[in-house]
Amino acid sequence: MIDELDLPVDLAVRGGSVLLRGATQGDLDAIVALLSDDPVSAGRGDVAAAEDHGLYLRGLLRILDSESNDVLIAESDDRVVATMELTVIPGMARRGSTRLLVEAVRVASTERSAGIGAAMMTWVADVAAPAVGASLVQLTSDAARTDAHRFYTRLGFVDSHIGFKLAVPR
């Protein structure tokens, strides 16, 4: 858990607000549901299968036990409607800059276009990054996510790099 983040916080969205807070073990099923609600994630195996529960739980607990990582959720009317993972990465490049990595951003399909994702990402850039001393917010996005690319560009993110991944057998 990243202690420098001042959570929970209310974020203004269209038609009201959402509560952004740190995830707990009790949020696991809702987070997995958000991952499986996404066709790209589902295509990678995030299908909320009961036999994978232990794998997701282990992943969540490892993140929450780390002082450099966090999983956040956004709630509306006591329902989890969005999630994201944050990782603080100290570095040597850019004169010893710290980066804030944002991954696994998901908004429930029933809640998209309500401004939740924009409110979360604006909070990351305006509040979370300065709080952890980051001079750069970065993320990766699957090449198939063209709508997400337009969304991030609209928020001021620049597609300045090409990312590479190598799957390693478990």
Side-chain angles (χ1 to χ4, degrees), residues 49-147:
E51 62 266 18
D52 293 336
H53 185 267
L55 297 171
Y56 288 112
L57 177 59
R58 185 177 70 202
L60 177 63
L61 294 177
R62 288 181 68 194
I63 292 170
L64 297 181
D65 285 343
S66 168
E67 62 187 37
S68 297
N69 294 280
D70 220 335
V71 177
L72 306 183
I73 58 131
E75 286 182 326
S76 176
D77 298 324
D78 295 321
R79 293 178 305 113
V80 175
V81 295
T83 188
M84 67 179 160
E85 298 173 16
L86 301 178
T87 302
V88 178
I89 306 171
M92 294 295 298
R94 296 178 184 246
R95 300 187 331 266
S97 291
T98 296
R99 298 165 190 248
L100 184 57
L101 177 67
V102 184
E103 285 293 322
V105 178
R106 301 292 188 277
V107 175
S109 57
T110 58
E111 304 294 328
R112 292 190 191 130
S113 299
I116 297 169
M120 289 169 49
M121 295 305 296
T122 299
W123 176 86
V124 166
D126 293 349
V127 178
V132 300
S135 60
L136 185 70
V137 175
Q138 66 184 35
L139 56 87
T140 61
S141 180
D142 191 284
R145 297 183 187 278
T146 55
D147 290 342

Side-chain angles (χ1 to χ4, degrees), residues 23-38:
T24 67
Q25 187 173 337
D27 297 314
L28 179 64
D29 290 340
I31 294 168
V32 172
L34 286 169
L35 293 172
S36 66
D37 185 35
D38 172 70

